[in-house]
Amino acid sequence: MSPLLGVGEEDQSNVTLVASSTSIDSLCCNSSDLKERNYMGLADCSSVDSSVVSSVSDEAKRSSLNLKATELRLGLPGSQSPERDPELCLLSSTQLDEKQLFPLHPLNDGHCSSTQKSVPSGSKRGFSDAMDGFSEGKYLAKSEVKAMLSSRSSSNLGLKSGSVLEKLGTQPANAKEPQKIIQERSRAADEPRPNNNGFANGNSSAPATKAQVVGWPPIRSFRKNSLASTSKNNEELDVKSVPGAMFIKVSMDGAPYLRKVDLKNYSAYKELSSALEKMFSCFTIGQYGSHGALGREVLSESKLKDLLHGSEYVLTYEDKDGDWMLMGDVPWEMFIDTCKRLRIMKGSDAIGLAPRAVEKCRNRN
Amino acid sequence: MNYFPDEVLEHVFDFVASHRDRNAVSLVCRLWHRVERLSRQRVFVGNCYALSPEILIARFPGLKSLTLKGKPHFADFNLVPHDWGGYVQPWIEALSNSRIGLEELRLKRMVVSDESLELLSRSLANFKSLVLVSCEGFTTVGLAAIAANCRFLRELDLQENEIDDHSGHWLSCFPDSCTSLISLNFACLKGEINLAALERLVARSPNLRSLRLNRAVPLETLQNILMRAPQLVDLGTGSYIHDPDSETYNKLKHTILKCKSIRNLSGFLEVAPRCLPAIYPICLNLTSLNLSYAAGIHGSELVKLIRRCAKLQRLWILDCIGDKGLEVVASTCKELQELRVFPSDVLGVGHAAVTENGLVAISAGCPKLHSLLYFCQQMTNAALIVVAKNCPNFIRFRLCILEPTKPDPVTMQPLDDGFGAIVQSCKHLRRLSLSGLLTDRVFLYIGMYAEQLEMLSVAFAGDSDKGMLYVLNGCKKLRKLEIRDCPYGDKALLTDVGKYETMRSLWMSSCEVTLGGCKTLAKEMPRLNVEIINEHDQMEIGSEEQRVEKMYLYRTLVGPRKDAPEFVWTL
């Protein structure tokens, strides 16, 4: 294992820090002289808008000029009273910890500067430079970020206070349009993903377009596939959630015994009510069969009133939560799912239900 | 020290169990190295290409249990092409040619063929335990070989593998004489199962403690199985659907009352929520509940269930539980240590049902929480700061905001401060995954505070090379770094090349590193394999300046691997 600089030895690390920070500076100076990498140019995408390219070069110029100013410099130990604040207030009171701070390995310095010439620096933020354009909201974000930063004394961090601000200021706001970038990237990578191809038409419309990024969100493909097929199955299952039948008890007020019906045999309220009528005909339901109002059709106010005045019966059911509901309000599929038992209630008993039901009719009509 | 006979040293080393400690022990002196290696039984190899089977076998002749990991982590998310590598065949061949009496093999993200399984089952007479996680390349034919030939098989644990399911025969291949099963998990199998064979197998396995069924096992069979195996500690149901008014269901209700030992519950791959009350009686004993595949349980049923699980230490659920549901978790599960909230909308297109509020509630209610995986719609700095204060014990903190680079929606700022609070507060943090809008500053914080950090996953973050440099410099214990879609280039890559030998691996995809930079690195560090994945033939060999789409480097004792496919260049 390569020997890491002794954390405890302050003198040593001080010295090294100084040495390495200057070398970083020199590295960065070098990099600012280098030509800005055209990130998008490498992507070799024919569908890259020319507007993108031009904005890149503009940004590049601006950014490289400011590079020096945006230099994040490390405060030398002792210079900025670095002590770790016990409280969790990072920016306002948190200060640099004295002991560690990136003791860069001196042995690499020489190496780096020698390679500096052959390797164009990637330190510029080409990624966000490749933004197509900014929405208003994002500009706002940028200025808010600025404001946030300036209100804290960033010198506590041992950072040049101007640097962070300007750094964020010059670059297009971090709130970029990731979707477009992602599309570019994935096209560049040319992943044969059917999802991405759908967006491969240079679709630069707004943030609302959620591109499907390869490998995002980071969920195991096994899980993804499994949940996708489960959701399909569940839709089927919701309607027929038991193998075979779906028998529920039906009680009628005044009848000596209960019956059971298989809800699966019916596909609408009308069918159910006529079946019930047949089943309980010996106990005289009355005019149930004829009105067919217990379907998707609206219960007209007058009909309901007819129902409830006199000896008519009302079909009610108990749902999953144990509440007694008037049949006919919800779609059939939902009813099937939530119904636990049926009760044919006498009209006179149903008075309590009526006002609401009547109001519903009024609202519907 | 020199006067202790070897046996005494060996006896002392027996008490040293963890891999790291044993590795440390072996570095003390030659004597200790020798005693340690001769007595070592369990070995963990985090990257199968870091060494060769021959080296392993030579060093540890007493090897009984081997854990191997193959593909890089991002292979889980389809970022690694299919034939990249990670074959277990050479290992099994080498082991079968040696005198090693391997008893346990645990593989993760490796390619396992039916031939490998067959060879394994034939050549290792004492083989007892096979655990395959996220592997692929085999079918039920291979499983049949394991079942038929491993006479002392105790454990067959298949977790989230892609298995070609040809038939349910393999279960019948367990001979009648096989009575040693302790753990059987085939939940990831997609095909039919011979139910009668399964029931018979359970009936003749008195030591069975852990059983996880697949979707093809209906409730009737579950009922029969539980009757025979009330001693189960870990149960994964298959299809949990029936008519709650049926006799089978009633029987199940009674049978479950006898299963007092169940502590882990999972499955519910298909579920009729109205049948859930049958499991209420065992909920109080549960320490681990995995409903992350139970898309059919949601809303009030889910909450009703969780309210009964006061002793939960580990909970894996889908985000349809919602913030409100998480509040219930927070008020019920005071012992909670690990929480994973997965997205139920797998396309990840922003209809997630949990936000920062759920997480804050959890942190307030569950102070023992140390492991978190949280997929959410949004997160705020304020929330993260509160979470950091409430739960300073995080060891694993993985936050995935579904929309890449999404800022704090309240302040529109990056989430640097929030994550910074987490790393500052959680001094034992070993694993961290970032998401949302992030600048270089978060990496400054990580470098400063995350002293124990071993694994970091970064996506769509940072502004410049500095981000990566902060991490490489500050995190002394870093072992795995995986980065995608970040603007880090050659400077970040090359500033501290020695660091990579202290790490297991580095993955960078869709970043700014160039072919030239990678070549330089490879030249400087001969003990690293620097692999470029050149899918679709994008790259040309000459041009140094072209950007490298996917790079994976790792330290190794054995140089470039010989099984690399054409599209993988080892520089």
Side-chain angles (χ1 to χ4, degrees):
Chain A
M1 304 240 290
S2 49
L4 299 172
L5 287 171
V7 163
E9 313 204 28
E10 229 173 332
D11 289 344
Q12 226 177 349
S13 57
N14 277 351
V15 170
T16 334
L17 258 174
V18 172
S20 33
S21 60
T22 44
S23 59
I24 284 187
D25 292 352
S26 62
L27 283 176
C28 294
C29 286
N30 283 348
S31 64
S32 66
D33 295 334
L34 291 171
K35 186 164 167 283
E36 166 58 21
R37 265 317 258 314
N38 184 352
Y39 167 81
M40 291 318 297
L42 288 172
D44 192 31
C45 295
S46 52
S47 48
V48 172
D49 299 292
S50 55
S51 60
V52 175
V53 176
S54 53
S55 67
V56 168
S57 47
D58 283 343
E59 287 302 330
K61 251 193 233 160
R62 266 193 278 144
S63 321
S64 52
L65 284 176
N66 280 325
L67 188 56
K68 228 171 178 178
T70 65
E71 186 59 43
L72 280 178
R73 273 163 232 257
L74 303 170
L76 298 179
S79 63
Q80 303 282 341
S81 60
E83 258 162 34
R84 209 176 279 189
D85 199 292
E87 279 198 23
L88 285 173
C89 301
L90 269 178
L91 278 189
S92 51
S93 47
T94 300
Q95 286 148 6
L96 270 183
D97 190 16
E98 196 163 315
K99 71 171 156 97
Q100 42 59 312
L101 287 204
F102 323 111
L104 297 171
H105 296 237
L107 53 93
N108 290 319
D109 291 344
H111 159 77
C112 278
S113 42
S114 67
T115 58
Q116 207 49 39
K117 301 191 180 102
S118 52
V119 175
S121 160
S123 69
K124 253 338 288 167
R125 189 140 168 268
F127 183 70
S128 67
D129 288 346
M131 278 200 60
D132 193 17
F134 318 117
S135 63
E136 196 100 29
K138 289 169 186 162
Y139 266 124
L140 196 59
K142 188 175 64 174
S143 52
E144 279 174 9
V145 169
K146 253 182 172 167
M148 179 268 293
L149 285 168
S150 53
S151 63
R152 298 184 221 242
S153 55
S154 47
S155 61
N156 282 343
L157 272 179
L159 300 171
K160 291 229 155 134
S161 51
S163 64
V164 184
L165 270 182
E166 284 188 64
K167 186 176 173 60
L168 286 175
T170 50
Q171 294 179 351
N174 291 330
K176 48 190 170 287
E177 283 185 16
Q179 293 83 14
K180 176 124 207 301
I181 311 304
I182 292 151
Q183 294 158 28
E184 308 286 11
R185 281 193 193 270
S186 27
R187 256 177 289 142
D190 202 30
E191 298 277 359
R193 305 276 164 201
N195 293 332
N196 285 331
N197 291 339
F199 294 89
N201 303 320
N203 176 7
S204 55
S205 71
T209 313
K210 300 252 191 258
Q212 296 226 355
V213 183
V214 175
W216 191 268
I219 313 174
R220 267 195 196 151
S221 29
F222 179 87
R223 182 177 288 278
K224 252 191 195 163
N225 299 337
S226 181
L227 277 179
S229 59
T230 307
S231 57
K232 251 194 292 176
N233 286 345
N234 273 346
E235 279 157 24
E236 295 158 19
L237 286 172
D238 275 344
V239 180
K240 300 179 205 279
S241 57
V242 295
M246 195 175 177
F247 283 99
I248 55 165
K249 292 186 192 170
V250 186
S251 63
M252 175 159 152
D253 292 355
Y257 49 81
L258 281 61
R259 303 293 304 268
K260 268 206 166 174
V261 287
D262 180 1
L263 285 182
K264 286 218 178 131
N265 290 340
Y266 314 103
S267 55
Y269 286 114
K270 208 166 170 178
E271 291 174 43
L272 176 60
S273 73
S274 46
L276 286 174
E277 185 205 30
K278 285 191 197 111
M279 217 184 245
F280 288 88
S281 56
C282 38
F283 308 120
T284 35
I285 298 184
Q287 292 167 17
Y288 245 96
S290 55
H291 67 64
L294 290 177
R296 295 295 204 100
E297 300 158 30
V298 176
L299 262 181
S300 70
E301 191 173 339
S302 51
K303 274 191 180 162
L304 185 56
K305 278 193 178 146
D306 287 344
L307 256 182
L308 299 174
H309 295 316
S311 61
E312 311 306 350
Y313 286 80
V314 178
L315 281 179
T316 64
Y317 67 99
E318 184 184 27
D319 75 349
K320 278 195 259 201
D321 301 321
D323 301 322
W324 286 97
M325 319 283 291
L326 182 68
M327 224 167 80
D329 287 335
V330 301
W332 176 255
E333 285 75 30
M334 201 185 291
F335 166 74
I336 291 263
D337 198 40
T338 57
C339 170
K340 272 171 50 181
R341 52 188 301 173
L342 292 180
R343 177 176 162 199
I344 305 176
M345 222 182 242
K346 271 210 192 94
S348 42
D349 288 340
I351 297 296
L353 285 175
R356 238 182 51 209
V358 168
E359 252 172 275
K360 264 191 189 151
C361 294
R362 278 209 207 106
N363 293 338
R364 268 188 228 154
N365 293 336
Chain B
M1 287 304 183
N2 298 342
Y3 305 121
F4 281 168
D6 290 357
E7 295 80 31
V8 174
L9 274 181
E10 204 180 295
H11 181 69
V12 173
F13 293 168
D14 274 350
F15 295 99
V16 180
S18 94
H19 294 294
R20 280 185 213 185
D21 290 343
R22 288 206 73 124
N23 291 344
V25 157
S26 67
L27 291 176
V28 168
C29 64
R30 282 222 188 127
L31 173 63
W32 281 36
H33 182 94
R34 181 167 53 82
V35 174
E36 195 282 320
R37 78 174 181 88
L38 291 175
S39 63
R40 177 94 148 235
Q41 294 188 337
R42 313 183 64 88
V43 175
F44 170 84
V45 177
N47 174 6
C48 65
Y49 290 120
L51 66 157
S52 72
E54 290 72 30
I55 293 180
L56 183 77
I57 292 171
R59 181 169 168 189
F60 299 113
L63 186 65
K64 293 250 186 314
S65 160
L66 176 60
T67 305
L68 279 175
K69 292 192 185 179
K71 300 189 194 178
H73 177 226
F74 277 179
D76 276 347
F77 318 133
N78 294 334
L79 286 178
V80 175
H82 186 64
D83 302 323
W84 176 88
Y87 306 103
V88 76
Q89 179 71 2
W91 293 84
I92 298 190
E93 277 173 5
L95 285 165
S96 61
N97 290 336
S98 73
R99 283 199 261 144
I100 299 231
L102 194 73
E103 293 180 11
E104 176 179 84
L105 187 60
R106 309 169 75 96
L107 304 177
K108 187 166 185 181
R109 279 190 290 272
M110 293 198 75
V111 177
V112 182
S113 64
D114 285 341
E115 289 72 30
S116 306
L117 290 176
E118 179 125 14
L119 182 56
L120 173 77
S121 69
R122 297 270 185 70
S123 54
L124 297 176
N126 242 352
F127 194 70
K128 296 196 170 79
S129 164
L130 182 64
V131 179
L132 301 177
V133 180
S134 252
C135 296
E136 53 167 3
F138 61 106
T139 75
T140 43
V141 171
L143 295 179
I146 297 283
N149 304 329
C150 299
R151 288 190 302 146
F152 304 113
L153 194 69
R154 287 204 217 140
E155 180 178 17
L156 179 58
D157 186 355
L158 308 169
Q159 297 177 27
E160 301 192 333
N161 302 292
E162 297 287 352
I163 307 175
D164 241 341
D165 198 328
H166 293 163
S167 72
H169 283 342
W170 65 279
L171 261 182
S172 326
C173 294
F174 281 104
D176 289 339
S177 54
C178 172
T179 57
S180 48
L181 265 187
I182 297 182
S183 163
L184 178 61
N185 172 7
F186 57 91
C188 62
L189 279 178
K190 303 210 181 79
E192 293 306 310
I193 285 288
N194 183 335
L195 299 174
L198 174 63
E199 288 189 34
R200 285 196 304 270
L201 180 61
V202 172
R204 64 177 186 275
S205 304
N207 297 321
L208 195 65
R209 290 283 171 275
S210 166
L211 180 61
R212 298 195 188 179
L213 310 169
N214 78 342
R215 206 184 283 253
V217 179
L219 199 126
E220 290 92 359
T221 311
L222 174 66
Q223 207 284 121
N224 294 341
I225 287 176
L226 289 179
M227 279 250 292
R228 316 250 202 195
Q231 78 282 3
L232 279 180
V233 172
D234 176 343
L235 173 65
T237 69
S239 168
Y240 192 79
I241 293 178
H242 220 277
D243 176 1
D245 290 325
S246 68
E247 200 178 315
T248 308
Y249 180 71
N250 274 315
K251 274 201 254 173
L252 180 68
K253 281 205 285 199
H254 286 112
T255 309
I256 288 196
L257 287 174
K258 297 201 203 101
C259 301
K260 297 197 204 296
S261 310
I262 297 185
R263 297 286 174 274
N264 294 6
L265 188 59
S266 61
F268 302 99
L269 308 168
E270 285 173 349
V271 54
R274 286 162 60 206
C275 295
L276 286 175
I279 60 169
Y280 289 169
I282 55 172
C283 286
L284 189 54
N285 297 330
L286 290 181
T287 56
S288 161
L289 180 60
N290 179 357
L291 297 177
S292 63
Y293 283 98
I297 309 180
H298 35 245
S300 56
E301 272 108 18
L302 184 51
V303 170
K304 264 194 253 181
L305 188 58
I306 291 188
R307 269 196 215 280
R308 292 163 181 267
C309 303
K311 293 204 193 134
L312 273 190
Q313 295 173 10
R314 178 163 58 179
L315 177 61
W316 292 21
I317 37 170
L318 292 170
D319 65 1
C320 52
I321 192 176
D323 284 338
K324 290 284 172 228
L326 288 178
E327 287 170 26
V328 173
V329 173
S331 59
T332 311
C333 310
K334 294 305 187 186
E335 304 293 312
L336 198 66
Q337 298 175 17
E338 176 182 334
L339 175 66
R340 296 197 190 188
V341 181
F342 292 96
S344 46
D345 174 3
V346 293
L347 298 177
V349 196
H351 296 300
V354 296
T355 70
E356 73 273 18
N357 296 322
L359 187 58
V360 169
I362 291 282
S363 73
C366 308
K368 297 189 183 175
L369 195 64
H370 61 57
S371 290
L372 179 74
L373 172 60
Y374 196 74
F375 286 84
C376 59
Q377 170 85 309
Q378 62 184 45
M379 186 52 59
T380 64
N381 282 312
L384 284 175
I385 291 174
V386 170
V387 169
K389 244 191 215 141
N390 289 340
C391 293
N393 298 321
F394 274 120
I395 299 177
R396 296 171 205 98
F397 190 87
R398 298 197 276 161
L399 184 69
C400 178
I401 302 166
L402 288 168
E403 191 188 316
T405 70
K406 183 167 181 163
D408 177 331
V410 171
T411 61
M412 295 312 286
Q413 292 169 27
L415 291 172
D416 302 334
D417 292 343
F419 280 107
I422 294 283
V423 291
Q424 189 186 32
S425 164
C426 304
K427 307 214 185 316
H428 303 286
L429 194 67
R430 297 205 302 251
R431 181 169 180 182
L432 179 64
S433 297
L434 307 172
S435 60
L437 182 63
L438 297 164
T439 71
D440 282 345
R441 189 141 64 171
V442 70
F443 299 107
L444 173 63
Y445 295 148
I446 292 174
M448 283 167 68
Y449 293 116
E451 293 171 7
Q452 303 298 320
L453 194 66
E454 296 177 2
M455 180 169 177
L456 179 64
S457 308
V458 184
F460 307 106
D463 311 317
S464 75
D465 287 328
K466 290 186 171 70
M468 186 164 157
L469 287 174
Y470 291 147
V471 170
L472 289 176
N473 283 305
C475 300
K476 304 300 182 205
K477 299 210 176 168
L478 194 63
R479 291 188 301 120
K480 290 183 278 183
L481 180 57
E482 44 187 26
I483 303 174
R484 63 165 294 182
D485 293 275
C486 296
Y488 305 136
D490 295 332
K491 174 164 158 227
L493 184 66
L494 297 172
T495 299
D496 179 5
V497 291
K499 174 81 175 176
Y500 305 126
E501 269 190 15
T502 71
M503 290 166 56
R504 184 190 298 173
S505 65
L506 168 67
W507 167 280
M508 292 178 76
S509 62
S510 303
C511 296
E512 300 275 333
V513 291
T514 67
L515 185 55
C518 295
K519 280 189 179 172
T520 309
L521 177 59
K523 195 152 144 223
E524 279 289 317
M525 305 293 298
R527 285 192 297 186
L528 298 180
N529 277 352
V530 180
E531 294 186 7
I532 310 284
I533 297 177
N534 179 25
E535 278 176 293
H536 319 293
D537 258 330
Q538 290 165 279
M539 308 201 55
E540 313 147 16
I541 314 187
S543 140
E544 306 282 293
E545 289 177 15
Q546 56 185 325
R547 207 168 56 89
V548 163
E549 186 57 30
K550 292 180 183 173
M551 179 203 75
Y552 179 56
L553 66 85
Y554 52 91
R555 65 182 176 190
T556 177
L557 295 175
V558 291
R561 57 187 174 110
K562 303 186 181 53
D563 63 4
E566 260 187 36
F567 54 82
V568 172
W569 301 350
T570 307
L571 301 178

